[in-house]
Amino acid sequence: MSSTISFSEQVNRNFDKAAAHTNLERMLLTQIRNCNSIYRMSFPIKRDDGSIEVINAWRCEHSQHKLPTKGGIRYSESVNEDEVMALASLMTYKCAIVEVPFGGAKGGIKIDRRQYSERELESITRRYTFELAKKNFIGPGVDVPAPDFGTGAREMAWIADTYQAVSGGNIDSLGCVTGKPVPQGGIRGRTDATGRGVYFGIREACSIEEDMKKLGLSTGVEGKRVVIQGYGNVGFHAAKILEEAGARIIAIAEFDGAIFNPKGLSVQAVHEHRVETASIVGYPDAEILATNMAALELDCDILVPAALENVITAENVGNIKAKIIAEAANGPVSADANDRLLERGVMILPDAYLNAGGVTVSYFEWLKNLSHVRFGRMQKRFEEGAFRRIVSAIENVTHREFADEERQSLSRGASEEDLVNSGLEETMVLAYHQIRSISKRLGKGVDLRTAAFVDAIEKIAVCYQELGIFP
Ligand code: GLU
């Protein structure tokens, strides 16, 4: 859907709005806002039919105030330089908000991945990585890609393998990319991390009575009517975890259609239907909506746009009925739609905070790669022994024996996945209360997005000020 201004102007408009709430020097703000470096490349690949195609791709490093820079790589026909710049800048702010010590970056390859065979995708991915390596745009201490729209663990494994082949025995080379399959240096919990983070953010927002009252909602996720737009990795996991927490997923929209059931859809059953038929449309226990965009306009409590940017714009904002918009995607609400929603009192949980779960767990994966040890390996058994001794001591004092199941659950040591999920929860909870308290401190109805940007700008500014470059 169209927007009157470009995506990067949109992000910059949010930046400027927030910058006005800081006392920072103009040149410092300009340095924080600008994209530091961008590499645009073209390279040929051989198609399966023997023809040659020239591929266009980008990598943008928005800010090196912390290293490495970090951000996903998207494969999409609509990728362009402006989009990659906007997404890279969002990564900078995102990392600052959740205190992940990275600068922001983003990459894109302009292809419709469904039009390419696995072999072709592999050769595109490997060549792209090689181009990045040639120009020092990838490396565990330089710039670390990750999955994004249209990419996943398989592509990350190809990137890691290519980088390892050209990096000359760098012992930390696995840390050159995150979101890898677990046997190739990935971490448990990364695949569902963004969706899980979205859930934690929504749960925190819904737990505050004062804020829910203003929206005319009760506290808690339980019973909330949720619409999910985009049923990829992020949308699916967010839906699944929200459903587990008692929310009712009343509609799901994908690029080829949308389904609706006011009583609630079974997330797992819809997923299985899609695996079988390659589409969510036709799922038996639901009504098919006229268009996929119609799902956005349904009466619901929480709308979760989880696909691409600019799906809520000046054109459809008047029809949006959700009380909370949870931005699982990057940039789903255009700048003008954003202002209109805020005027109407809609709560927007901003992308730069809400979808930061992915990069948070990427950070854990990178730490794992650099430390060369799985989280939990050193302490799990030790913890279990200590817990068992505490359980026996309690049994001795109380003269009561725990049931086997109870004893086992009380003396369980933390696995890698437990630690990842708990680190993610801590991050999302802390950051939510931080941005909420900034919005309260600034007063005058300052929204959560502006507060999140103020938080990011102030944290990044400190890095430059400490260098003595700016006052
Ligand atoms: N592509 C994801 C994002 O937009 C993840 C980035 C990462 O893990 O580096 O946040």
Side-chain angles (χ1 to χ4, degrees), residues 364 375-377 379 383 414-424:
F364 301 155
F375 287 104
R377 178 167 175 181
Q379 72 270 39
E383 269 175 16
S415 68
E416 178 172 79
E417 194 163 3
D418 294 327
L419 293 168
V420 162
N421 288 344
S422 120
L424 173 61

Side-chain angles (χ1 to χ4, degrees), residues 70-72 91 94 106 144 146-148 178 190 330 355 358-359 362:
K70 188 87 190 77
M91 284 307 304
K94 198 183 290 189
K106 200 71 154 207
V144 180
D148 197 85
T178 59
R190 176 62 184 87
N330 289 310
N355 68 35
V359 75
S362 276

